[in-house]
């Protein structure tokens, strides 16, 4: 993730102040972006001029990419959980980043053969889902996000960092994310900083049923021992109650 960390740090600075000539190579900052093959001289100059700010971002910020499009995959699973566990669901996300997936119920969905849901939402997520059972958008009660470095998008600086983690060629994805971050900022989400293995026992103990623990890509960065510890933790916590995991 080191190259992405550098590129995102530069992009973050350009999003803050897009007047530098380097901006003309970014599809999200220029209507007709110049060829990236010609960008290196300006990129090198920009890095030299902003060396201190870039180093600060490399030292104190982390790569926590998130995409609202992942909600298209999460929604069907939560719909099935809600049918079996009841509603409203209490959600606990491991590796929440900015908490975007915790607002899964706030969007509209056009899933092709699986149907359309939430037509009046501010953002519609599209995809094709085949062979699914009857789906719906479940009601959500508690929204709890666990992360080593959670991002509070009510802060303009942290909101901009989330956007800077999206490749600048992905103009449509960034536009969708900007709308999603408005939703996140207006939603009551409890963000908790720390190791999920340390936080999760207490969170589960105080969270009412039905509770669903979910994670998207974060476990790919965990060691085998950490993954096994999470499995054991959830097995122990579920001995006296039902806990759903996605």
């Amino acid at each position: 993730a080191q190259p992405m960390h550098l590129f995102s740090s530069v992009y973050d600075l350009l999003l803050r102040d897009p007047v530098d000539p380097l901006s003309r190579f970014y599809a999200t900052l220029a209507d007709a972006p110049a060829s990236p093959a010609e960008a290196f001289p300006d990129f090198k100059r920009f890095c030299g001029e902003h060396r201190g700010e870039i180093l600060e971002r490399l030292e104190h910020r982390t790569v926590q990419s998130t995409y609202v499009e992942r909600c298209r995959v999460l929604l069907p699973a939560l719909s099935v959980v809600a049918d079996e566990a009841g509603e409203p669901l209490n959600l606990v996300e491991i590796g929440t980043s900015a908490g975007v997936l915790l607002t899964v119920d706030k969007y509209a969905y056009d899933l092709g053969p699986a149907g359309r849901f939430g037509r009046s939402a501010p953002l519609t997520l599209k995809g094709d889902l085949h062979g699914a059972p009857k789906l719906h958008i479940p009601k959500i009660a508690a929204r709890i996000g666990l992360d080593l470095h959670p991002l509070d998008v009510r802060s303009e600086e942290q909101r901009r960092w989330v956007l800077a983690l999206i490749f600048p060629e992905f103009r449509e994805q960034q536009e969708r994310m900007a709308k999603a971050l408005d939703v996140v900022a207006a939603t009551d989400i409890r963000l908790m900083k720390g190791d999920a293995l340390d936080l999760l026992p207490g969170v589960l103990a105080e969270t009412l049923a039905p509770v669903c623990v979910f994670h998207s890509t974060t476990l790919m960065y965990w060691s085998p021992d950490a993954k096994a510890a999470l499995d054991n933790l959830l097995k122990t916590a579920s001995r006296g109650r039902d806990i759903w995991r996605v």
Side-chain angles (χ1 to χ4, degrees), residues 94 146 194-201 222 225-227 229-231 233:
I94 299 173
L146 314 180
D195 189 319
L197 293 176
D198 296 329
L199 297 173
L200 200 52
W222 286 29
D225 287 345
K227 292 177 183 178
L230 176 62
D231 291 342
L233 188 160

Side-chain angles (χ1 to χ4, degrees), residues 36-176:
E38 303 170 0
F40 183 72
D42 275 314
F43 185 85
K44 179 180 179 181
R45 171 193 54 77
F46 187 90
C47 288
E49 293 174 355
H50 298 272
R51 183 175 185 273
E53 290 182 294
I54 292 172
L55 289 175
E56 185 275 333
R57 284 159 173 76
L58 293 175
E59 182 176 356
H60 297 292
R61 300 191 188 182
T62 57
V63 176
Q64 299 165 266
S65 300
T66 183
Y67 293 90
V68 67
E69 289 82 5
R70 291 174 181 167
C71 288
R72 298 175 300 186
V73 179
L74 180 60
L75 174 70
L78 292 184
S79 175
V80 172
V81 170
D83 284 341
E84 299 190 15
E87 301 180 52
L89 290 175
N90 295 295
L91 300 181
V92 180
E93 181 182 13
I94 299 173
T96 194
S97 182
V100 173
L101 300 189
L102 288 166
T103 57
V104 60
D105 59 319
K106 302 289 187 178
Y107 311 111
Y109 296 85
D110 182 353
L111 299 180
R116 295 174 60 92
F117 316 93
R119 297 175 185 271
S120 61
L123 176 63
T124 299
L125 302 174
K126 298 181 179 181
D128 289 316
L129 179 60
H130 299 268
K134 185 177 180 180
L135 302 178
H136 71 289
I137 298 177
K139 295 180 175 64
I140 307 299
R143 308 167 197 266
I144 304 169
L146 314 180
D147 203 290
L148 291 173
H149 305 282
L151 296 168
D152 185 350
V153 299
R154 294 171 297 181
S155 158
E156 180 59 34
E157 182 178 285
Q158 295 192 31
R159 173 192 173 96
R160 192 177 64 240
W161 181 246
V162 174
L163 294 175
L165 293 171
I166 299 174
F167 297 131
E169 296 84 2
F170 295 170
R171 180 181 292 176
E172 292 182 358
Q173 287 92 329
Q174 187 154 114
E175 291 174 352
R176 288 193 289 268

